[in-house]
Amino acid sequence: MSHLDALESQSIYILREAYNRLKPLGMLWSLGKDSNVMLWLARKAFLGHVPFAAIHVDTGKKFPEMYEFRERFSKEWNLNLIVRDCPPVDSVDPSLPPAARSAARKTEGLKRVMNEFGFKGIIAGIRRDEQATRAKERVFSPRADNGAWNFRDQPPEFWDHFKSDLPEGAHLRVHPLLAWTELDIWRYIERENIPVVSLYYTKNGKRYRSLGDQDITSPVESNASTIAEIIQELETTKTSERAGRAMDHEREDAFERLRASGYM
Amino acid sequence: MTQTTSTAAAIAEEELASNPAANTNDDKARFPFAIVGHVDHGKSTLIGRLLHDTGSLPEGKLAELKAASDKRGGVLEWSFLLDAFQAERDQGITIDTTQIFFSTAKRRYVIIDAPGHKEFLKNAISGVAQAQAAFLVIDAAEGVREQSRRHALILHILGLRQVAVLINKIDLIDHDADRYAAVAAEIRHYLGQLGVTPLALVPISARNGDNIASRSEKTPWYDGPTVVDVLDNFVPALAPVDQHLRLPVQDVFKFDHRRIVAGRIESGRLRVGDQLVFSPSGKQAKIASLESWSAAPQIAAGAGQSIALTLDDELFIQRGDIATHVEHQPHLAHQATVRLFWLDTAPLLAGDRLKLKVATSEYPVFVERIHAVIDVGNLAATQSDRIDQNAVAEVTLRSPALMALDKFDEFAKTGRGVLLRDGDIVGGAIVLHAGAVDQSRHLYSPTQSIGSADRASANGHRGAVLWLTGLSGSGKSTLAVSAEHRLFQRGRQVVVLDGDTLRQGLNSDLGFSPEARAENIRRTAEVAKLLAETGLIVFVSLISPWQADREKARRIVGENFAEIYVQADIETCKSRDPKGLYKKALQGEIKNFTGIDQPYEAPEKPDLTIDTTALTEEQALQHLLDLVDGLSALNGYEGRKPTDSYTI
Ligand SMILES: Nc1nc2c(ncn2[C@@H]2O[C@H](COP(=O)(O)OP(=O)(O)OP(=O)(O)O)[C@@H](O)[C@H]2O)c(=O)[nH]1
Ligand SMILES: [Mg+2]
């Protein structure tokens, strides 16, 4: 069994656990590389089907390429797509620094989706190697009814036994990609031939490594125009993936606060 | 070094850590290892330093750590690399486990940091359970401490055999060889008792980087490996494809009008055409096909793979069934002796009900017997009737359901499980022994009715009748209801038959003459007997003033009857008068009122007297519950003999 096979198998196991234990279940589809891999893994787990909703919490600030991608592949992959807008920025905690505040709109948007559909499980494509508080996540991570993450008291989780019983109103975030790295994601995309938005490839000497909102994400210097070149670039780089995300650098605790209140 | 490594290799092949990256042998595989040890002994610091010294930190990270350290006015804290929460940085303590990737010149790794504080053992285990090897970090100045020992013991229970010891903060003991040797000897001895020979012991300074990536000049007396050397010599486990097949059913899909059985192969291999047996039901069928999407068609699969298959026969298979080949099935048992670690703040007591979840199966169980609690200090087995948070113990669990189990030393993945209480994971257990099968339950016979012994074994206790007699206002009902609550919380089947309530229904045709009272008691006793025979613990709360009537009740119920005299003098009862009845009786509004115009015969030989004027409510309750425990306890069930020594 290769490294990628092992990661794939573990993610399939997690997705099947979520599908068996948590109803109703939804998957966040941000249109980025990770969530495309996640959808792909779901189709592997459920033999070509995606037996739950794919949710796009739309900030309205995505790149036009991403909206085109959404229209095309939601049809091609036969997704049960839910798109919901986020509230305006002035409805978000004003004590957050500007970029984090803008990102927090997504948390609010997600809360609205939760209220509307009452999901018990939300599958999200975060990875440990992205950010230090994400590195401390559980695979099945409980969220209170207001979406808050009680990171000071996470439930024990070992031997692939996940906590799946929750009080009314609370939900579980399910993280099938926690053990993957950015490189694993690209190698898997290459191996499986998974479509991704063109923004990841170079254009005028720059490309996006991570796709957030247009106003708070910046591209990195790169000439990589194929997946193989992206992989090659990542094998030697020493900059972190989220270097282009403004909100990660505003204040030491900005990301923790965002995540504690329900951000992915 | 070669010799220890090859032993480790042999052991490593037997076990398979749950980390997916582990089961692989390509050059992209990442070897997961954990750092454990007592709080503040320098685990997180070591990891930060290791990443820095091997050039694995991303750009700008060091500056970020410096800023975070300066802000808190201290020296550079390498631990901040992992201790990402503000609360962790402010208090200088790791709260939750974390994972970070890095590589040496030889290979890739996942480092698992574990908190050392006792309060966060559940978090430490959540991380360490995914490792294939561990470094036990010990502060050279403080020496071996309680959590150093506890973590070592937990490593052992988790089945982790590749362990190396790092004696840290060697700068604090002036790089002194003798003081190092003393700490080394102490931990060597402790690990020796667990049967663990550390692969290496290394004197280090995590903060200063001594003996981490390169040999330090400050310890000229040490000529062993560096941390990186030890790391590169750990041996990765291979997926247990050569063991017998274990495929726990995770789900049954009904996509595309077919029934598709989904699950992960935990050990062994299978191929299309194999005859499978599903335990515990014993149903059999052949594999008709292996199903997949966007992958080359398969005819065989092995350990570690998440698969989907169809059968040649439409059996009723469900999640929790475990598929194996016919010749090598798991044990079927109603009873299992396990070694467990307990993580809940509320202790585990004999008789408590839990769920045991093994792979995808969940079984209701109760604690039949606590054999021993392990003293973490000296590993001695001690007798105890409770298992406190973070303790390690050996117990026998019994289930009304037939469980399909393996022994941990034969099949790691299906020989271990978690304990659940109210949906929370409260402990982990490894199966030492899969015990007896209750024949009566195993063999279904339509002509044979279910007896009270069957019910008792299903409930985890016997039925019983606790007959509470005493004056009106003596406290019978209060006691009965609090006992009912307490026992219900402990998972007992329990009910209260209250005189007042019965008189509104079953006995509504009866008055208060001596004859009517006798009939009242006869009926109540018959009902209590029926309920006790169906397995309930029954509290009867009835004045029952006559000795002769109470004796009749005892005869009706038979065994498991206890007469409890709830005692309070008439003056106290009058003054309590919760229902205002004494007042009415004294004014002549009620006739035949016990204690006023009818006598109360106090029991001559009650099984228990509870004086509610002398005891607090809680004390009274404890007396009653002690009696209940004795009366309803199961006995005559064979369990494993108590272990008096903890043999590893
Ligand atoms: N003098 C000295 N101090 C050290 C050394 N290693 C770590 N420390 C200090 O010891 C303290 C505790 O270090 P941590 O790395 O947070 O300890 P830990 O074992 O991770 O603690 P928990 O995770 O909370 O159990 C910090 O202040 C470190 O700077 C060392 O080699 N020498
Ligand atoms: Mg720490």
Side-chain angles (χ1 to χ4, degrees):
Chain A
M1 212 177 186
S2 76
H3 173 59
L4 286 181
D5 287 338
L7 285 172
E8 178 191 69
S9 171
Q10 172 74 357
S11 298
I12 290 175
Y13 188 84
I14 294 165
L15 289 169
R16 286 176 173 172
E17 278 303 283
Y19 178 61
N20 182 281
R21 311 297 297 210
L22 309 172
K23 287 183 182 87
L25 180 65
M27 179 181 275
L28 295 180
W29 187 32
S30 69
L31 315 171
K33 60 185 189 311
D34 304 287
S35 61
N36 289 342
V37 164
M38 213 159 55
L39 271 176
W40 195 264
L41 288 165
R43 294 167 83 200
K44 291 238 174 183
F46 307 107
L47 308 158
H49 305 262
V50 180
F52 37 72
I55 305 157
H56 183 214
V57 181
D58 194 351
T59 52
K61 296 198 173 171
K62 296 289 176 193
F63 302 85
E65 291 89 335
M66 297 175 78
Y67 292 110
E68 282 161 32
F69 188 91
R70 181 179 82 192
E71 294 322 305
R72 175 170 166 202
F73 287 100
S74 60
K75 289 196 190 74
E76 245 173 65
W77 294 344
N78 195 19
L79 301 179
N80 167 15
L81 178 68
I82 294 175
V83 177
R84 287 295 180 275
D85 294 336
C86 298
V89 75
D90 21 294
S91 66
V92 174
D93 180 0
S95 73
L96 283 168
R101 194 170 175 212
S102 173
R105 289 180 59 224
K106 222 157 123 186
T107 318
E108 290 308 315
L110 179 59
K111 276 184 198 165
R112 291 185 177 187
V113 172
M114 296 304 295
N115 285 340
E116 185 180 345
F117 296 93
F119 288 113
K120 271 288 178 201
I122 285 287
I123 306 170
I126 63 166
R127 309 191 321 265
R128 291 195 198 280
D129 73 331
E130 288 176 292
Q131 205 278 334
T133 63
R134 285 183 175 165
K136 290 190 177 254
E137 270 287 3
R138 297 287 189 265
V139 176
F140 275 45
S141 181
R143 292 294 187 277
D145 50 7
N146 59 0
W149 179 38
N150 183 5
F151 56 84
R152 284 185 193 82
D153 190 17
Q154 300 199 74
E157 182 178 84
F158 48 94
W159 298 336
D160 287 342
H161 292 288
F162 310 119
K163 177 178 168 61
S164 55
D165 271 15
L166 278 188
E168 204 50 42
H171 74 275
L172 282 151
R173 292 280 171 81
V174 177
H175 301 135
L177 298 183
L178 268 191
W180 295 57
T181 64
E182 187 185 10
L183 258 168
D184 295 330
I185 293 287
W186 282 111
R187 291 201 178 105
Y188 191 69
I189 289 172
E190 183 182 43
R191 182 181 101 170
E192 300 283 322
N193 212 356
I194 303 172
V196 289
V197 185
S198 59
L199 295 162
Y200 287 113
Y201 303 115
T202 185
K203 199 169 161 189
N204 306 327
K206 285 182 181 230
R207 71 175 196 91
Y208 287 90
R209 253 178 97 180
S210 168
L211 288 174
D213 288 344
Q214 219 169 354
D215 55 343
I216 53 171
T217 313
S218 47
V220 297
E221 307 269 333
S222 167
N223 289 317
S225 59
T226 62
I227 296 176
E229 284 169 14
I230 292 175
I231 291 172
Q232 208 176 18
E233 176 189 297
L234 292 178
E235 275 171 338
T236 51
T237 187
K238 289 210 106 190
T239 35
S240 76
E241 178 182 3
R242 293 182 62 93
R245 295 252 190 163
M247 61 201 237
D248 292 24
H249 314 286
E250 285 177 328
R251 210 144 68 198
E252 192 188 316
D253 64 349
F255 206 69
E256 172 176 324
R257 285 180 54 199
L258 268 178
R259 299 210 67 237
S261 65
Y263 190 78
M264 278 60 67
Chain B
M1 203 67 213
T2 0
Q3 206 184 345
T4 39
T5 311
S6 63
T7 340
I11 297 161
E13 273 181 39
E14 282 171 27
E15 64 198 25
L16 175 71
S18 55
N19 190 303
N23 317 329
T24 65
N25 37 24
D26 69 18
D27 64 342
K28 304 291 181 292
R30 288 186 287 259
F31 182 85
F33 71 95
I35 315 270
V36 301
H38 196 79
V39 63
D40 265 354
H41 281 196
K43 299 177 290 298
S44 303
T45 307
L46 166 69
I47 299 172
R49 190 77 214 197
L50 196 56
L51 267 89
H52 175 259
D53 290 7
T54 53
S56 314
L57 288 184
E59 233 164 58
K61 200 72 203 180
L62 190 59
E64 208 183 297
L65 296 180
K66 279 193 176 127
S69 307
D70 286 347
K71 199 170 108 186
R72 290 170 179 81
V75 290
L76 176 62
E77 281 297 358
W78 294 103
S79 58
F80 287 1
L81 184 61
L82 303 132
D83 294 342
F85 296 143
Q86 295 299 303
E88 294 180 313
R89 292 181 176 183
D90 293 344
Q91 291 161 35
I93 190 173
T94 303
I95 294 174
D96 216 324
T97 179
T98 192
Q99 297 187 11
I100 193 160
F101 304 95
F102 105 116
S103 14
T104 63
K106 184 178 170 189
R107 65 175 168 202
R108 292 157 205 271
Y109 293 94
V110 187
I111 315 180
I112 301 165
D113 186 28
H117 195 285
K118 191 173 176 170
E119 201 183 316
F120 308 127
L121 187 74
K122 67 178 168 72
N123 297 340
I125 289 174
S126 302
V128 177
Q130 300 175 53
Q132 290 191 8
F135 284 117
L136 176 59
V137 175
I138 296 176
D139 185 318
E142 281 199 18
V144 180
R145 299 290 299 272
E146 187 185 344
Q147 302 311 311
S148 324
R149 294 194 180 90
R150 194 182 304 275
H151 282 189
L153 178 57
I154 292 289
L155 291 179
H156 185 267
I157 295 176
L158 294 175
L160 251 127
R161 297 292 182 275
Q162 300 191 72
V163 179
V165 176
L166 306 179
I167 297 181
N168 187 31
K169 308 195 190 180
I170 196 84
D171 51 306
L172 294 185
I173 57 163
D174 303 325
H175 310 97
D176 183 273
D178 293 339
R179 290 185 62 187
Y180 164 78
V183 178
E186 192 183 356
I187 190 63
R188 227 188 244 285
H189 173 72
Y190 188 83
L191 290 173
Q193 284 179 289
L194 285 168
V196 174
T197 312
L199 299 177
L201 289 94
V202 189
I204 64 164
S205 169
R207 186 185 272 173
N208 303 333
D210 295 306
N211 294 327
I212 307 286
S214 59
R215 193 79 69 70
S216 168
E217 290 162 9
K218 296 185 191 123
T219 53
W221 42 268
Y222 176 76
D223 60 2
T226 63
V227 173
V228 171
D229 295 336
V230 178
L231 201 49
D232 283 342
N233 273 305
F234 285 137
V235 181
L238 299 173
V241 280
D242 294 328
Q243 286 188 344
H244 300 309
L245 174 68
R246 291 294 183 264
L247 170 65
V249 175
Q250 198 179 1
D251 210 337
V252 179
F253 302 140
K254 283 152 208 132
F255 300 132
D256 314 319
H257 314 290
R258 290 181 307 164
R259 293 178 71 84
I260 299 165
V261 178
R264 181 170 61 194
I265 303 176
E266 301 297 0
S267 64
R269 37 180 132 226
L270 52 74
R271 50 177 47 246
V272 172
D274 283 2
Q275 181 83 6
L276 296 183
V277 55
F278 292 84
S279 296
S281 71
K283 283 176 261 189
Q284 295 195 11
K286 270 199 179 62
I287 304 177
S289 65
L290 285 176
E291 300 291 321
S292 58
W293 174 82
S294 185
Q298 293 170 284
I299 53 153
Q305 281 180 266
S306 286
I307 59 158
L309 56 81
T310 62
L311 298 169
D312 70 344
D313 199 355
E314 291 267 307
L315 299 178
F316 179 69
I317 305 288
Q318 46 183 341
R319 176 180 167 91
D321 288 350
I322 171 161
T324 65
H325 288 126
V326 182
E327 313 79 59
H328 302 286
Q329 301 181 28
H331 300 278
L332 296 181
H334 285 288
Q335 199 190 44
T337 299
V338 302
R339 185 173 297 152
L340 63 79
F341 45 85
W342 185 246
L343 302 174
D344 200 7
T345 43
L348 180 66
L349 309 175
D352 278 0
R353 291 162 172 280
L354 302 162
K355 269 189 192 154
L356 172 65
K357 179 163 177 260
V358 176
T360 56
S361 8
E362 281 183 34
Y363 305 106
V365 293
F366 64 88
V367 179
E368 186 171 76
R369 185 173 296 161
I370 299 175
H371 299 295
V373 173
I374 311 307
D375 182 327
V376 174
N378 57 11
L379 298 178
T382 57
Q383 293 301 314
S384 175
D385 55 5
R386 56 186 277 157
I387 302 168
D388 287 311
Q389 187 178 22
N390 297 341
V392 170
E394 283 189 24
V395 308
T396 294
L397 302 173
R398 177 174 282 273
S399 176
L402 192 61
M403 304 184 283
L405 297 174
D406 285 307
K407 291 206 270 181
F408 181 70
D409 58 3
E410 291 168 3
F411 294 89
K413 294 242 180 156
T414 45
R416 68 186 184 198
V418 290
L419 298 164
L420 297 159
R421 181 144 80 180
D422 302 328
D424 291 326
I425 294 176
V426 285
I430 61 172
V431 178
L432 305 175
H433 174 79
V437 175
D438 298 344
Q439 286 306 328
S440 62
R441 212 196 317 263
H442 182 36
L443 304 172
Y444 169 68
S445 147
T447 54
Q448 198 185 329
S449 65
I450 292 165
S452 52
D454 302 318
R455 295 184 203 280
S457 108
N459 288 336
H461 61 79
R462 297 192 292 170
V465 175
L466 292 302
W467 194 280
L468 273 58
T469 169
L471 291 170
S472 175
S474 60
K476 299 181 298 297
S477 297
T478 311
L479 251 179
V481 170
S482 355
E484 182 187 32
H485 273 272
R486 208 58 77 85
L487 289 167
F488 185 76
Q489 278 162 6
R490 279 162 55 188
R492 310 298 200 271
Q493 307 288 330
V494 56
V495 69
V496 174
L497 293 180
D498 193 274
D500 290 345
T501 323
L502 290 173
R503 279 186 177 277
Q504 287 162 22
L506 180 66
N507 298 336
S508 59
D509 56 332
L510 301 176
F512 293 88
S513 66
E515 298 71 32
R517 281 191 191 270
E519 175 59 10
N520 183 17
I521 282 164
R522 189 192 67 80
R523 288 186 197 172
T524 307
E526 290 288 355
V527 172
K529 172 191 160 82
L530 280 174
L531 293 175
E533 276 174 1
T534 60
L536 277 90
I537 295 169
V538 185
F539 290 95
V540 176
S541 160
L542 207 58
I543 299 174
S544 40
W546 314 105
Q547 182 68 36
D549 288 342
R550 294 192 300 262
E551 268 159 27
K552 196 155 116 205
R554 186 190 289 272
R555 277 198 304 279
I556 291 170
V557 174
E559 46 173 331
N560 282 1
F561 179 95
E563 182 182 12
I564 295 127
Y565 178 28
V566 183
Q567 190 181 23
D569 56 83
I570 182 77
E571 291 313 316
T572 308
C573 292
K574 272 189 205 164
S575 67
R576 287 179 185 160
D577 203 11
K579 289 172 261 174
L581 295 175
Y582 282 99
K583 196 167 154 223
K584 286 186 186 161
L586 287 168
Q587 287 166 354
E589 284 173 40
I590 308 178
K591 297 272 173 257
N592 295 334
F593 196 81
T594 306
I596 305 298
D597 53 352
Q598 233 180 36
Y600 176 81
E601 294 177 4
E604 285 156 18
K605 276 194 220 140
D607 297 279
L608 177 68
T609 300
I610 296 176
D611 182 349
T612 60
T613 62
L615 299 173
T616 66
E617 227 179 282
E618 184 61 29
Q619 287 168 332
L621 188 59
Q622 278 314 322
H623 285 298
L624 183 56
L625 292 178
D626 286 345
L627 179 73
V628 172
D629 279 346
L631 206 60
S632 65
L634 285 180
N635 40 37
Y637 288 94
E638 48 149 339
R640 209 177 79 147
K641 295 267 173 336
T643 20
D644 40 21
S645 67
Y646 188 59
T647 43
I648 308 268

